[in-house]
Tab-separated table of all heavy atoms in Angstrom:
chain	number	residue	atom	x	y	z
A	155	GLN	N	87.099	128.701	198.653
A	155	GLN	CA	86.558	127.351	198.511
A	155	GLN	C	86.320	127.048	197.037
A	155	GLN	O	85.880	127.905	196.280
A	155	GLN	CB	85.233	127.215	199.263
A	155	GLN	CG	85.378	127.282	200.753
A	155	GLN	CD	84.016	127.209	201.450
A	155	GLN	OE1	82.965	127.187	200.823
A	155	GLN	NE2	84.049	127.177	202.765
A	156	ARG	N	86.598	125.847	196.662
A	156	ARG	CA	86.347	125.372	195.299
A	156	ARG	C	85.441	124.150	195.389
A	156	ARG	O	85.507	123.387	196.343
A	156	ARG	CB	87.643	124.965	194.599
A	156	ARG	CG	88.655	126.067	194.503
A	156	ARG	CD	88.337	126.951	193.339
A	156	ARG	NE	89.389	127.935	193.168
A	156	ARG	CZ	89.158	129.202	192.956
A	156	ARG	NH1	87.937	129.648	192.886
A	156	ARG	NH2	90.144	130.046	192.808
A	157	ASP	N	84.625	123.973	194.373
A	157	ASP	CA	83.760	122.797	194.325
A	157	ASP	C	84.639	121.587	194.013
A	157	ASP	O	85.276	121.543	192.966
A	157	ASP	CB	82.687	122.978	193.249
A	157	ASP	CG	81.669	121.866	193.243
A	157	ASP	OD1	81.878	120.830	193.916
A	157	ASP	OD2	80.652	122.017	192.549
A	158	PRO	N	84.687	120.605	194.908
A	158	PRO	CA	85.547	119.439	194.663
A	158	PRO	C	84.953	118.453	193.648
A	158	PRO	O	85.631	117.542	193.201
A	158	PRO	CB	85.652	118.785	196.049
A	158	PRO	CG	84.357	119.157	196.713
A	158	PRO	CD	84.011	120.530	196.197
A	159	GLN	N	83.692	118.650	193.283
A	159	GLN	CA	83.019	117.731	192.363
A	159	GLN	C	83.380	118.029	190.908
A	159	GLN	O	83.718	119.159	190.561
A	159	GLN	CB	81.498	117.838	192.524
A	159	GLN	CG	80.988	117.560	193.919
A	159	GLN	CD	81.299	116.151	194.370
A	159	GLN	OE1	81.141	115.193	193.632
A	159	GLN	NE2	81.772	116.018	195.601
A	160	ASN	N	83.269	117.023	190.063
A	160	ASN	CA	83.402	117.219	188.625
A	160	ASN	C	82.239	118.062	188.124
A	160	ASN	O	81.179	118.097	188.754
A	160	ASN	CB	83.352	115.879	187.883
A	160	ASN	CG	84.605	115.060	188.072
A	160	ASN	OD1	85.668	115.583	188.370
A	160	ASN	ND2	84.478	113.763	187.886
A	161	TYR	N	82.437	118.713	186.971
A	161	TYR	CA	81.307	119.370	186.319
A	161	TYR	C	80.666	118.332	185.400
A	161	TYR	O	81.249	117.927	184.397
A	161	TYR	CB	81.725	120.605	185.508
A	161	TYR	CG	80.509	121.214	184.855
A	161	TYR	CD1	79.627	121.984	185.606
A	161	TYR	CD2	80.201	120.957	183.524
A	161	TYR	CE1	78.475	122.493	185.043
A	161	TYR	CE2	79.046	121.477	182.949
A	161	TYR	CZ	78.200	122.238	183.720
A	161	TYR	OH	77.047	122.737	183.158
A	162	ASN	N	79.475	117.889	185.776
A	162	ASN	CA	78.774	116.860	185.016
A	162	ASN	C	77.620	117.470	184.234
A	162	ASN	O	76.975	118.414	184.693
A	162	ASN	CB	78.239	115.775	185.946
A	162	ASN	CG	79.349	115.044	186.667
A	162	ASN	OD1	80.492	115.044	186.227
A	162	ASN	ND2	79.022	114.425	187.771
A	163	TYR	N	77.359	116.895	183.074
A	163	TYR	CA	76.297	117.355	182.183
A	163	TYR	C	75.791	116.134	181.426
A	163	TYR	O	76.578	115.286	181.000
A	163	TYR	CB	76.858	118.404	181.217
A	163	TYR	CG	75.954	118.757	180.068
A	163	TYR	CD1	74.766	119.448	180.276
A	163	TYR	CD2	76.295	118.419	178.761
A	163	TYR	CE1	73.939	119.783	179.212
A	163	TYR	CE2	75.481	118.758	177.696
A	163	TYR	CZ	74.308	119.435	177.928
A	163	TYR	OH	73.489	119.769	176.879
A	164	VAL	N	74.461	116.034	181.271
A	164	VAL	CA	73.854	114.895	180.582
A	164	VAL	C	73.164	115.394	179.318
A	164	VAL	O	72.355	116.320	179.368
A	164	VAL	CB	72.836	114.172	181.500
A	164	VAL	CG1	72.130	113.050	180.746
A	164	VAL	CG2	73.529	113.633	182.746
A	165	TYR	N	73.497	114.771	178.202
A	165	TYR	CA	72.893	115.103	176.913
A	165	TYR	C	72.123	113.881	176.420
A	165	TYR	O	72.678	112.784	176.326
A	165	TYR	CB	73.966	115.492	175.897
A	165	TYR	CG	73.404	115.762	174.527
A	165	TYR	CD1	72.808	116.982	174.232
A	165	TYR	CD2	73.435	114.788	173.541
A	165	TYR	CE1	72.258	117.230	172.983
A	165	TYR	CE2	72.889	115.021	172.290
A	165	TYR	CZ	72.313	116.247	172.019
A	165	TYR	OH	71.766	116.488	170.782
A	166	VAL	N	70.828	114.066	176.123
A	166	VAL	CA	69.978	112.983	175.625
A	166	VAL	C	69.535	113.338	174.217
A	166	VAL	O	68.934	114.389	173.988
A	166	VAL	CB	68.741	112.772	176.526
A	166	VAL	CG1	67.822	111.697	175.953
A	166	VAL	CG2	69.175	112.418	177.949
A	167	SER	N	69.827	112.454	173.269
A	167	SER	CA	69.422	112.656	171.878
A	167	SER	C	68.197	111.797	171.585
A	167	SER	O	68.214	110.579	171.805
A	167	SER	CB	70.552	112.260	170.927
A	167	SER	OG	70.093	112.287	169.585
A	168	LYS	N	67.145	112.458	171.064
A	168	LYS	CA	65.938	111.726	170.672
A	168	LYS	C	66.026	111.224	169.232
A	168	LYS	O	65.118	110.561	168.763
A	168	LYS	CB	64.700	112.608	170.871
A	168	LYS	CG	64.476	112.895	172.347
A	168	LYS	CD	63.203	113.589	172.759
A	168	LYS	CE	62.312	114.233	171.824
A	168	LYS	NZ	61.092	114.796	172.439
A	169	ALA	N	67.149	111.503	168.558
A	169	ALA	CA	67.371	110.929	167.225
A	169	ALA	C	67.617	109.430	167.413
A	169	ALA	O	68.372	109.028	168.295
A	169	ALA	CB	68.566	111.589	166.549
A	170	GLN	N	66.977	108.626	166.596
A	170	GLN	CA	67.097	107.183	166.785
A	170	GLN	C	68.374	106.649	166.157
A	170	GLN	O	68.747	107.077	165.082
A	170	GLN	CB	65.859	106.492	166.220
A	170	GLN	CG	64.639	106.846	167.041
A	170	GLN	CD	63.395	106.108	166.603
A	170	GLN	OE1	63.466	105.010	166.067
A	170	GLN	NE2	62.248	106.715	166.836
A	171	PRO	N	69.064	105.756	166.836
A	171	PRO	CA	68.700	105.208	168.134
A	171	PRO	C	68.927	106.249	169.238
A	171	PRO	O	69.975	106.888	169.287
A	171	PRO	CB	69.620	104.010	168.308
A	171	PRO	CG	70.833	104.338	167.481
A	171	PRO	CD	70.339	105.177	166.336
A	172	GLU	N	67.924	106.408	170.106
A	172	GLU	CA	68.016	107.375	171.187
A	172	GLU	C	69.154	106.978	172.127
A	172	GLU	O	69.335	105.800	172.426
A	172	GLU	CB	66.695	107.432	171.960
A	172	GLU	CG	65.551	107.963	171.116
A	172	GLU	CD	64.249	108.052	171.875
A	172	GLU	OE1	64.010	107.216	172.770
A	172	GLU	OE2	63.476	108.977	171.577
A	173	HIS	N	69.910	107.977	172.542
A	173	HIS	CA	71.044	107.681	173.414
A	173	HIS	C	71.313	108.836	174.373
A	173	HIS	O	70.804	109.936	174.198
A	173	HIS	CB	72.303	107.373	172.589
A	173	HIS	CG	72.773	108.535	171.773
A	173	HIS	ND1	72.233	108.853	170.550
A	173	HIS	CD2	73.717	109.473	172.019
A	173	HIS	CE1	72.830	109.933	170.077
A	173	HIS	NE2	73.732	110.339	170.945
A	174	LEU	N	72.121	108.544	175.361
A	174	LEU	CA	72.508	109.489	176.402
A	174	LEU	C	74.021	109.530	176.458
A	174	LEU	O	74.684	108.502	176.325
A	174	LEU	CB	71.928	109.023	177.726
A	174	LEU	CG	72.288	109.740	179.023
A	174	LEU	CD1	71.141	109.596	180.014
A	174	LEU	CD2	73.574	109.233	179.634
A	175	GLU	N	74.559	110.746	176.667
A	175	GLU	CA	75.991	110.923	176.884
A	175	GLU	C	76.181	111.671	178.198
A	175	GLU	O	75.519	112.675	178.438
A	175	GLU	CB	76.630	111.736	175.758
A	175	GLU	CG	76.590	111.045	174.428
A	175	GLU	CD	77.030	111.947	173.281
A	175	GLU	OE1	76.997	113.192	173.427
A	175	GLU	OE2	77.390	111.394	172.240
A	176	LEU	N	77.093	111.186	179.028
A	176	LEU	CA	77.486	111.878	180.246
A	176	LEU	C	78.817	112.561	179.992
A	176	LEU	O	79.786	111.913	179.578
A	176	LEU	CB	77.637	110.898	181.416
A	176	LEU	CG	78.320	111.451	182.677
A	176	LEU	CD1	77.473	112.549	183.324
A	176	LEU	CD2	78.621	110.335	183.658
A	177	TYR	N	78.836	113.870	180.225
A	177	TYR	CA	80.070	114.648	180.143
A	177	TYR	C	80.574	114.881	181.558
A	177	TYR	O	79.820	115.335	182.417
A	177	TYR	CB	79.819	116.008	179.494
A	177	TYR	CG	79.582	115.952	178.013
A	177	TYR	CD1	78.348	115.564	177.507
A	177	TYR	CD2	80.581	116.311	177.115
A	177	TYR	CE1	78.120	115.525	176.142
A	177	TYR	CE2	80.364	116.285	175.745
A	177	TYR	CZ	79.125	115.880	175.272
A	177	TYR	OH	78.898	115.836	173.925
A	178	GLU	N	81.839	114.585	181.786
A	178	GLU	CA	82.502	114.912	183.048
A	178	GLU	C	83.676	115.812	182.709
A	178	GLU	O	84.563	115.411	181.949
A	178	GLU	CB	83.005	113.663	183.753
A	178	GLU	CG	81.913	112.776	184.302
A	178	GLU	CD	82.496	111.605	185.055
A	178	GLU	OE1	82.799	111.775	186.258
A	178	GLU	OE2	82.673	110.544	184.453
A	179	ASN	N	83.649	117.036	183.259
A	179	ASN	CA	84.700	118.010	182.986
A	179	ASN	C	84.969	118.141	181.488
A	179	ASN	O	86.110	118.210	181.036
A	179	ASN	CB	85.982	117.668	183.743
A	179	ASN	CG	85.802	117.780	185.238
A	179	ASN	OD1	84.926	118.499	185.713
A	179	ASN	ND2	86.610	117.072	185.991
A	180	GLY	N	83.879	118.174	180.712
A	180	GLY	CA	83.982	118.451	179.287
A	180	GLY	C	84.268	117.265	178.390
A	180	GLY	O	84.363	117.423	177.173
A	181	ARG	N	84.388	116.070	178.947
A	181	ARG	CA	84.649	114.880	178.127
A	181	ARG	C	83.526	113.869	178.301
A	181	ARG	O	83.019	113.680	179.406
A	181	ARG	CB	85.963	114.207	178.549
A	181	ARG	CG	87.207	115.015	178.281
A	181	ARG	CD	88.498	114.282	178.665
A	181	ARG	NE	88.451	113.709	180.004
A	181	ARG	CZ	88.450	112.388	180.273
A	181	ARG	NH1	88.497	111.499	179.327
A	181	ARG	NH2	88.411	111.966	181.515
A	182	VAL	N	83.164	113.190	177.203
A	182	VAL	CA	82.169	112.122	177.296
A	182	VAL	C	82.827	110.931	177.984
A	182	VAL	O	83.841	110.416	177.514
A	182	VAL	CB	81.634	111.714	175.905
A	182	VAL	CG1	80.688	110.526	176.026
A	182	VAL	CG2	80.935	112.887	175.235
A	183	THR	N	82.241	110.522	179.127
A	183	THR	CA	82.797	109.398	179.880
A	183	THR	C	81.851	108.203	179.951
A	183	THR	O	82.230	107.149	180.450
A	183	THR	CB	83.144	109.829	181.322
A	183	THR	OG1	81.948	110.282	181.962
A	183	THR	CG2	84.198	110.927	181.323
A	184	PHE	N	80.622	108.394	179.468
A	184	PHE	CA	79.631	107.320	179.535
A	184	PHE	C	78.622	107.539	178.424
A	184	PHE	O	78.261	108.675	178.120
A	184	PHE	CB	78.935	107.340	180.908
A	184	PHE	CG	77.854	106.326	181.069
A	184	PHE	CD1	78.142	104.987	181.233
A	184	PHE	CD2	76.519	106.716	181.057
A	184	PHE	CE1	77.122	104.051	181.384
A	184	PHE	CE2	75.502	105.791	181.217
A	184	PHE	CZ	75.810	104.455	181.380
A	185	HIS	N	78.174	106.436	177.827
A	185	HIS	CA	77.223	106.495	176.718
A	185	HIS	C	76.317	105.270	176.824
A	185	HIS	O	76.797	104.175	177.106
A	185	HIS	CB	78.022	106.458	175.402
A	185	HIS	CG	77.179	106.557	174.184
A	185	HIS	ND1	76.576	105.475	173.598
A	185	HIS	CD2	76.841	107.625	173.426
A	185	HIS	CE1	75.906	105.875	172.530
A	185	HIS	NE2	76.054	107.175	172.413
A	186	THR	N	75.018	105.448	176.622
A	186	THR	CA	74.100	104.312	176.646
A	186	THR	C	72.874	104.601	175.790
A	186	THR	O	72.498	105.759	175.603
A	186	THR	CB	73.655	103.966	178.085
A	186	THR	OG1	72.877	102.755	178.061
A	186	THR	CG2	72.825	105.073	178.711
């Protein structure tokens, strides 16, 4: 069995401007 889901990871930087990056399978796919 293999996990069918992506490997997701969330990185939040408190350096201003504070922001969040979503990594999916090692690539940033979302930023806010």
Side-chain angles (χ1 to χ4, degrees):
Q155 292 177 356
R156 301 278 186 225
D157 186 349
Q159 302 298 316
N160 287 337
Y161 179 77
N162 297 339
Y163 168 68
V164 176
Y165 176 80
V166 177
S167 172
K168 294 188 347 177
Q170 293 185 28
E172 295 181 328
H173 64 278
L174 174 152
E175 295 171 339
L176 168 66
Y177 287 78
E178 290 183 85
N179 294 336
R181 293 182 311 113
V182 175
T183 60
F184 177 74
H185 182 275
T186 186

